[in-house]
Amino acid sequence: MNIQSLSTGARPALRIGVVYAVVSGLYIFTSDVVLALFVPDIKELSQLQTAKGLVFILITALLLYVLVRRHTRMVSTYYQQILDTEREAEERLRRSKQEYMSLFNHSPLPEWLFDSDTLQILLVNDAACHLYGYSEADYLSMTLRDIPMPEDIPILMDYLAEPEDEHGKILPLPIRHLKKNGEIIYVKVKTSGVLWNGRRVQLASAVDVTAEIAQQQRLADSNERLQRAGAIAGLGYWTNDLVHNKIEWSDEMYRILGRDPAVFRPTPDSLRSIFYPDEVFDLELRHFSEDGFREYERRIITSEGETKWVLERLYLTRDDNGTPIRLEGIALDSTRRKLQEQQVWESNERFKLLARATVEAIIDWDVTTRKVLWGEGFQTIFGFNIDEERDFWSENLHPDDRERILRDLKDAIRDPKRERFNAEFRFLKADGETAFVQHRGFFIRDEKGRATRAVGAMTDLTETLDRMHKIESQDRALREIAWRQSHMVRAPLANLLGFLRLYRDQKAAGGSADEYLDYISVSAEQLDMVLREIVEQSTGHERNPM
């Protein structure tokens, strides 16, 4: 019983004493005064005072009985209430202890009760036994030092040495715990002081964050790989918080756009100074499609004045009401590709000009994809419409030459040492005429010798062959004319010369030479006839060389 209960019980007794003293004093004083006024006889007064005293004793005894009894009842009721309250408190304490032990044992978190000084484990719950693999008996022979990795014990001891507030304390960083099977897990530890079996002990709980840390590590590794990939690919990332008007760039964005991150601050005004003045920069949010995507490729000017091409892909995020709240995008340095495209375009233009200027039909064949680029010669020389998707080459090989040419081409493709393919064959034009062509080509092969590309040119030799045939015919005619000159002309000419010689000799001798004039005339006519035949033969060959 405490001092407050004692003082509470003394108050009624004091009140009874005070009431008794006041009533007794008033009764004695007033009764003596009244008797002295009305009873002058001393003897009678003495008898009355004796009787008055007896009455007083009787009345006060009765009054004391009533007061003491009432007070006794009150005290008895009060103490009964105290006993009932104590029993209820003990019952609540017992139920609270049972509930606490139930919560302790059924907590999903591993928990230990341990001595604050020796760190001896006093009690352990089922979750700690299940997660760590130790039995309750194992734990009761262990201290809190036996659970962490040896390298992390100093961290735990420094943590336990720090003071705690009324809510306990939490270890700032995860530490490693060792299971019974040797597995290592990462946990967050919290401790707090509790009262257990009348003594002050510590309650420790652990949250397994191994999966969380592994996920964080995977995210960190993924982010690092993404950053590396962005640096390798020249890919930058940026965001624009439209609500707070805040623009953020990745490190690669500064490198791509040629700006120093220590000096340059990406703002709408500063961004306009990066791009070429004549480049259209339309970022009106209302122009974004429903899927939120847009794409640009523009020129920029670096801080050193260098011109670069940048490809941007943008994505606009809207809230549930359709209001734009975030704009983000990636930027890719496309300068090299743009220059390569320019070189390819220039090369294609040169190829087109060459194809127009040449008298050859050029074929560019991708052996892997079977895609063929037909030169304009197939239209200008052979009359085909090259806009049609057809195999102009193999379809129009002359039937008598097709099998031979296709076989030779296959053999050339299969031979890894063959670099060229040359052939002459007949080719059917779009109008059905036959052309004599010469095909010259070469192969591009990979490191294994497989043909990946073939480039060739076809030349129409029809007119050339006609001219060659004409020249050959004229050559035969000239040889025949030469033979006639050397054989047919020589005989009449020799006769003519002989008769002229005889005619002069006869005249010189003074004789008659008229008979020789007839011979000379006949020989001249024979010579003229031969010359006419030669002229006719020469003229006929010129008109019909075939």
Side-chain angles (χ1 to χ4, degrees):
M1 185 180 295
N2 53 29
I3 296 176
Q4 184 178 3
S5 63
L6 290 174
S7 61
T8 303
R11 288 172 186 172
L14 179 61
R15 188 164 56 250
I16 292 172
V18 171
V19 171
Y20 179 78
V22 171
V23 171
S24 298
L26 290 175
Y27 178 79
I28 292 172
F29 178 76
T30 55
S31 62
D32 287 343
V33 173
V34 171
L35 288 175
L37 291 175
F38 291 101
V39 180
D41 187 6
I42 298 299
K43 184 177 179 180
E44 186 179 0
L45 178 61
S46 175
Q47 290 176 350
L48 289 173
Q49 288 179 338
T50 301
K52 180 192 70 167
L54 293 174
V55 173
F56 175 76
I57 291 171
L58 180 62
I59 294 172
T60 55
L62 181 61
L63 178 62
L64 286 175
Y65 171 76
V66 171
L67 293 175
V68 170
R69 183 178 179 184
R70 180 181 177 185
H71 178 67
T72 302
R73 288 179 178 177
M74 291 177 59
V75 170
S76 176
T77 302
Y78 174 73
Y79 279 106
Q80 185 62 40
Q81 291 176 349
I82 292 176
L83 292 175
D84 293 341
T85 302
E86 288 180 350
R87 282 195 296 270
E88 290 178 1
E90 290 177 356
E91 180 63 21
R92 284 197 299 270
L93 180 61
R94 185 185 64 81
R95 288 198 300 268
S96 175
K97 186 176 180 180
Q98 288 179 345
E99 292 173 357
Y100 175 80
M101 292 304 299
S102 177
L103 290 174
F104 177 81
N105 288 323
H106 295 90
S107 171
L109 299 178
E111 293 182 345
W112 304 266
L113 287 177
F114 65 96
D115 188 274
S116 304
D117 299 325
T118 64
L119 304 185
Q120 182 69 38
I121 295 176
L122 306 173
L123 191 65
V124 64
N125 68 351
D126 296 337
C129 296
H130 176 73
L131 178 62
Y132 288 80
Y134 294 105
S135 65
E136 185 177 0
D138 293 333
Y139 274 119
L140 296 180
S141 64
M142 297 166 58
T143 68
L144 211 62
R145 291 172 173 268
D146 299 324
I147 301 177
M149 291 286 292
E151 296 84 0
D152 293 348
I153 292 178
I155 301 175
L156 176 65
M157 299 308 296
D158 293 341
Y159 160 74
L160 294 176
E162 296 176 358
E164 68 177 38
D165 56 21
E166 58 182 358
H167 302 294
K169 56 185 179 180
I170 300 176
L171 190 63
L173 297 175
I175 63 172
R176 295 170 296 172
H177 276 187
L178 188 64
K179 293 185 178 182
K180 187 174 183 179
N181 61 5
E183 181 183 352
I184 298 174
I185 61 174
Y186 287 83
V187 296
K188 288 183 178 179
V189 177
K190 178 180 179 181
T191 60
S192 59
V194 296
L195 190 64
W196 181 71
N197 289 343
R199 58 186 290 195
R200 192 73 176 174
V201 296
Q202 291 287 320
L203 171 65
S205 61
V207 178
D208 186 358
V209 294
T210 307
E212 178 183 345
I213 291 179
Q215 180 65 20
Q216 291 175 354
Q217 185 61 42
R218 285 193 294 270
L219 289 175
D221 294 341
S222 178
N223 289 334
E224 184 179 355
R225 287 193 296 269
L226 287 175
Q227 291 177 357
R228 270 200 313 271
I232 294 172
L235 190 67
Y237 173 77
W238 60 268
T239 61
N240 185 358
D241 188 339
L242 301 176
V243 177
H244 303 92
N245 196 24
K246 184 178 180 182
I247 300 176
E248 294 182 353
W249 280 8
S250 67
D251 294 339
E252 193 63 21
M253 279 294 297
Y254 290 95
R255 191 196 66 78
I256 292 173
L257 299 182
R259 294 299 185 272
D260 184 358
V263 178
F264 184 80
R265 292 293 178 268
T267 63
D269 292 335
S270 63
L271 290 176
R272 290 188 183 92
S273 65
I274 294 178
F275 296 94
Y276 252 70
D278 58 345
E279 293 288 344
V280 177
F281 186 74
D282 180 14
L283 278 181
E284 290 290 337
L285 300 182
R286 58 188 176 87
H287 292 161
F288 277 80
S289 59
E290 292 184 359
D291 58 7
F293 283 98
R294 293 196 74 179
E295 184 173 304
Y296 295 90
E297 189 166 26
R298 296 169 290 173
R299 290 176 297 171
I300 66 165
I301 305 173
T302 66
S303 56
E304 290 80 14
E306 179 187 0
T307 299
K308 297 173 66 176
W309 282 90
V310 175
L311 174 66
E312 283 189 282
R313 290 188 176 95
L314 287 66
Y315 178 71
L316 179 64
T317 302
R318 297 180 174 90
D319 61 14
D320 295 337
N321 298 322
T323 303
I325 59 174
R326 181 182 178 88
L327 188 63
E328 57 188 333
I330 60 171
L332 177 67
D333 185 354
S334 59
T335 305
R336 180 180 298 178
R337 178 181 58 81
K338 203 68 178 178
L339 293 176
Q340 291 175 347
E341 287 180 354
Q342 181 65 23
Q343 293 174 356
V344 171
W345 180 84
E346 293 175 354
S347 176
N348 289 337
E349 289 300 312
R350 288 193 297 269
F351 176 80
K352 291 178 181 179
L353 292 175
L354 179 62
R356 290 177 182 176
T358 186
V359 294
E360 297 177 337
I362 298 175
I363 306 172
D364 188 347
W365 178 30
D366 189 327
V367 180
T368 305
T369 63
R370 301 293 179 180
K371 185 177 181 180
V372 182
L373 176 64
W374 305 100
E376 292 190 9
F378 276 91
Q379 184 166 342
T380 58
I381 300 174
F382 300 113
F384 295 106
N385 183 6
I386 59 176
D387 293 332
E388 298 179 4
E389 294 186 1
R390 291 175 50 194
D391 185 359
F392 299 108
W393 189 79
S394 61
E395 288 180 0
N396 293 282
L397 293 173
H398 194 279
D400 295 338
D401 297 336
R402 178 181 290 113
E403 183 178 355
R404 172 179 61 86
I405 298 301
L406 293 178
R407 183 180 63 251
D408 292 346
L409 177 60
K410 290 180 180 179
D411 293 341
I413 292 175
R414 293 171 181 171
D415 188 352
K417 297 180 180 180
R418 286 281 296 275
E419 295 182 356
R420 296 186 177 278
F421 172 74
N422 297 321
E424 292 183 0
F425 50 87
R426 286 165 294 178
F427 190 75
L428 301 179
K429 294 184 177 182
D431 57 6
E433 292 185 3
T434 300
F436 292 89
V437 299
Q438 181 183 47
H439 186 116
R440 298 187 305 274
F442 65 92
F443 299 106
I444 298 175
R445 299 182 182 273
D446 58 17
E447 64 278 359
K448 295 182 179 180
R450 292 175 298 192
T452 60
R453 186 179 177 188
V455 179
M458 288 174 50
T459 305
D460 187 355
L461 300 179
T462 306
E463 294 183 2
T464 302
L465 291 176
D466 288 343
R467 288 194 296 269
M468 290 179 61
H469 291 155
K470 185 176 181 180
I471 292 172
E472 290 176 354
S473 177
Q474 290 176 345
D475 182 65
R476 288 194 300 269
L478 291 176
R479 286 197 299 269
E480 185 176 349
I481 291 171
W483 181 85
R484 286 179 176 272
Q485 288 178 342
S486 62
H487 293 82
M488 298 180 66
V489 175
R490 186 174 297 276
L493 182 60
N495 292 334
L496 182 60
L497 292 175
F499 287 132
L500 286 175
R501 189 179 303 112
L502 291 173
Y503 177 79
R504 283 196 294 269
D505 291 343
Q506 189 67 24
K507 279 290 187 181
S512 176
D514 292 339
E515 59 178 323
Y516 292 108
L517 290 176
D518 293 333
Y519 294 134
I520 291 173
S521 177
V522 173
S523 298
E525 290 177 359
Q526 291 178 349
L527 179 60
D528 180 63
M529 187 180 297
V530 172
L531 291 176
R532 287 176 181 276
E533 291 180 0
I534 293 174
V535 171
E536 290 178 359
Q537 185 177 7
S538 175
T539 305
H541 279 289
E542 290 180 356
R543 287 195 302 265
N544 186 18
M546 300 297 292

